[in-house]
Each structure stands twice: as structure tokens, then as C-alpha cells.
Amino acid sequence: MRRRQFIGNAAVAAPLAAAPFQAPAPMGDKPAIKITDIKTFMVWNGGRNWIYVKVLTDQGIEGIGEAYSCGPDEATVKVIEDYKLWLVGQDPRNIQYLWDLMYNTTRFPGGSVVNSALSGIEHALWDITAKAAGLPCWALLGGRVRQKVRVYQSIGGGSPQEAGENAQRLIEQHGYTAVKMSPHNRGDNQMPYNMVTRIAGQRVGAVREAVGPDVDIGVDIHARYFEVQRAIRVAKEIEPYYPFWLEEPIRPENFDAMKKLADHVNIPLASGECNYTKYEFRDLINIQALDIVQPDICVCGGIMEMKKIAAMAEAQYIMVAPHNPMSPLATAVNVHFAASTPNFLILEYRAPVSGASKDVLKEPIMVKDGYVDIPTKPGWGVELNEEAFPSMPPRPWKRGTGYRADGSIAFI
């Protein structure tokens, strides 16, 4: 990444070292802390890589964060390594300044790769800042507004019966008061619309029957629909089973189409995992297209950016249910957000009981009776288990491609 110098009317590339950035001086009599290095770790979790960031300082305080695994994970690592050249020598406690440095100097609004890199670094800066103060991160984010954090888990299931059985089992194991599900059977892209709609009703109905009348059921279309009318049909089919929300009912690019959908359904609409920063969420929130926003803390710009998004949503009476499919470290960061955010609703979660999820942290946050406790140790209150990483070497991966019956590419 190179900045540009202007000579007359011509722009020429110049290395960053030609005009080093100057951070604001430390406040009061606190000694300066300087970033000395930024390291990345990629580990394989069985279906995708998890990307971790560790920021080191000259005072021995280290911070950790997680960047979203978008697919071209090596690209995210390279962006982090480039940002390292900008950040070494800076005081990590100047979080907003360093966020502006990365975001503004990149100039072009970032997509998933750039924003993931920025988010992972930002997490680590908060971890360092809170550790230096001897406080949990939530104490620096406005303090705690709740005593525990409600969570839910996705249930899977290849058929209506299997989905119902999975939901029942998860509730029995972990005491969840909410679950999330897909309304689609396998091969739905190959099916006629009416068949997809009918099966969606069968699946949600089977889960409702299995869990009873009081458990909340989120329904996630996963942005597979392009047409508003198709989402309206499915919404009407599942409405009798009182869904908690309808998530990503259509593609996320067209905010006006989402508003049109909102005007025609009686189920709360939720979306936001594919949107970045306060700038994109501003329009979604202002036009009242959603009842629940779902930014992802590992790609939307980090925890402070998500606090800003939540504040805009709060002013419009909209709740926040963070998207959180990543590792137990992302869960920990989200728990600090949830602890300090009044309009937080519920957190996506996967119990770290097997595989990489139980090993990447020394003590992952565990669910009990559908809630998780809020850490009280300084920083995020969790540590990476780096000794386990060699047993989880990263792998190339890509999302599976969906095909329609005519051979064209479907949305996934």
C-alpha cells in the first residue's frame, strides 16, 4: 500500500516512510506504549480458516483479535501485514486515530477483505488498551448494562424431521431459549418456487412442534432470494409459526427492495452480515428497512464501529443481533459488545465442545441455560492457545457453488 504525493498536477506514488505518521501525544502522565509488531495466525476449523491477529508492544502487553474469513484468507493476511507497516511505533491506545489512519489512508471504501483486516487489528487495540488500564473491555465501552448475554445456535437438519430433532437436542443440552434454522431442504435451488415455499412451511412447522410455543425460532434465508415477491411468499408460509425473525430474506445490495419487503410482511426482518461500517448501515436504518440489524464484528469495522451502528439503530428503535459464525475469540469480543449495548437482542453462538472450537482458546466462553457469562478479567478476558495451532494448519477453501436447474449460477 502506497500513499500518493502531488507534484503540480501529477500524482506519483511515494512510500509511507517518506512522511511518517505522527500519533497524538499520550494523555496525562501515563507512559507511552508503542506497537512493535503485528502477527497473524491462520488455523483450520474443519470448514474454513480462522484468522487471528496479535499486536505486540514495547511494554509486553499483547492484544488479540479476529478477522473475518471471507474466502481469499491469504489476501486478508497480506492487508494486515501491510497495515503493520503503518502502525509499528504508534500508541495502540489511540484506537480511533489508528482506525482513521487505516480507513482514511486506504482512501477507497474497503470491501470484505480490507474491512476484515481492519476489524481484527481494532479488536487487538482494544484488548491492549483495556489490559493497560487493568479493566475488561466492556468497562471502557460504557460499562455493563446486563449481567449475562443471551445466545442461540443454528440447528441444521436435512429434512423437517431432522431439523426438529436437532433443535430439541440442542435445547436439552444447553438450555437455549432460541434457535436459528434454514427454511430450505438440500437441493432447493433445483426446485420450483412453490415446492421451496411449501417445504419452508413444513420445516419451520416441524421445529415449532418440536420446541413448543415459547422458544424463539430465527429463520435464515441466507440471501438466496433475488426477488422480493419470492421472499413475501415464504414469509406468509411460515408466519403461522411465529418466527423470531426472517434473516437476509433477499440479497443485501438494494436497500429500497428490503424496504418494499418490510412493508409487505408481518415478521421482523433481520440483515446486515454483508454490510460494512456505519456508512452502509446508515441508509438501512434510516429508511426503516429492518427491525433487527446484524453487523459482524469481524468485518464491519470492529467493536467501536459496531457500537456506532448500534447507536444509530437505537435512535430508530431497532435492535442488534450480531452475526457471529466465526471462532470463540469472536464470541468473546461480541460478548463485551453485548454487555455494554442497551439495544442488544441476542448473540449467535456455537458451543465450543469439539474440534478446533474447543482448542483455539485456553478457556472459551461456555453456555449455560441459554446464556453466557460476561468476562471480568482485563481485556477480552480470554487467551489464544497458540500451542494448539500447529495441529490445525490452514487450507485453501471456497464456498460451494449453487446451480439452478437450468445450469445458471444461483445465490448461496
Side-chain angles (χ1 to χ4, degrees), residues 380-403:
W380 301 130
V382 296
E383 296 179 68
L384 291 175
N385 183 20
E386 294 178 34
E387 294 78 9
F389 290 176
S391 66
M392 313 169 198
R395 303 181 190 178
W397 72 283
K398 68 179 286 291
R399 300 179 189 277
T401 303
Y403 295 93

Side-chain angles (χ1 to χ4, degrees), residues 67-341:
Y68 198 88
S69 173
C70 307
D73 300 324
E74 294 84 357
T76 304
V77 169
K78 288 297 183 183
V79 175
I80 294 168
E81 291 174 352
D82 191 76
Y83 280 148
K84 168 185 167 179
L85 303 177
W86 308 21
L87 300 180
V88 166
Q90 301 280 0
D91 189 325
R93 296 170 298 180
N94 293 319
I95 299 171
Q96 183 66 67
Y97 172 83
L98 296 182
W99 195 96
D100 292 346
L101 170 60
M102 291 184 283
Y103 188 88
N104 296 0
T105 312
T106 299
R107 183 173 182 262
F108 295 97
S112 57
V113 170
V114 168
N115 285 314
S116 296
L118 193 158
S119 299
I121 292 171
E122 192 258 12
H123 300 168
L125 301 180
W126 275 105
D127 196 26
I128 291 170
T129 300
K131 286 174 179 175
L135 296 169
C137 284
W138 55 257
L140 303 183
L141 294 166
R144 201 161 62 175
V145 299
R146 52 183 48 87
Q147 299 302 313
K148 56 184 179 178
V149 172
R150 188 183 182 207
V151 296
Y152 71 87
Q153 186 163 334
S154 294
I155 61 175
S159 67
Q161 180 181 358
E162 187 179 352
E165 291 170 352
N166 288 352
Q168 195 170 31
R169 183 172 59 254
L170 279 174
I171 290 169
E172 291 171 354
Q173 289 175 344
H174 302 298
Y176 292 117
T177 60
V179 294
K180 188 166 79 175
M181 64 174 294
S182 169
H184 304 124
N185 267 17
R186 296 186 184 97
D188 61 291
N189 283 321
Q190 308 285 320
M191 300 174 183
Y193 284 11
N194 284 350
M195 186 176 183
V196 172
T197 303
R198 177 173 54 81
I199 290 175
Q202 293 174 354
R203 286 178 62 86
V204 179
V207 174
R208 174 56 70 203
E209 183 177 359
V211 303
D214 298 327
V215 172
D216 289 322
I217 304 172
V219 179
D220 186 2
I221 289 179
H222 209 258
R224 293 163 77 93
Y225 296 167
F226 186 74
E227 314 95 311
V228 172
Q229 284 298 328
R230 191 176 185 189
I232 291 173
R233 288 186 186 184
V234 169
K236 291 186 182 302
E237 187 75 16
I238 67 175
E239 186 180 332
Y241 307 110
Y242 298 99
F244 196 20
W245 66 57
L246 188 61
E247 180 173 339
E248 280 202 308
I250 58 173
R251 292 288 306 173
E253 296 92 346
N254 188 331
F255 296 171
D256 291 331
M258 190 73 77
K259 179 62 169 64
K260 177 182 176 181
L261 175 61
D263 290 340
H264 286 82
V265 301
N266 294 317
I267 301 171
L269 296 186
S271 190
E273 68 184 74
C274 293
N275 300 110
Y276 320 122
T277 75
K278 54 188 169 287
Y279 302 114
E280 288 197 14
F281 279 92
R282 176 197 60 201
D283 293 336
L284 266 174
I285 290 168
N286 285 347
I287 65 173
Q288 294 278 325
L290 299 172
D291 302 284
I292 300 157
V293 291
Q294 297 178 302
D296 190 300
I297 213 160
C298 295
V299 71
C300 78
I303 192 165
M304 184 156 54
E305 195 70 2
M306 201 148 95
K307 291 284 288 185
K308 294 177 181 180
I309 293 165
M312 291 191 297
E314 184 182 10
Q316 297 282 8
Y317 301 173
I318 294 171
M319 301 298 285
V320 184
H323 180 246
N324 181 40
M326 304 308 296
S327 89
L329 176 54
T331 293
V333 178
N334 272 296
V335 167
H336 286 262
F337 166 85
S340 60
T341 303

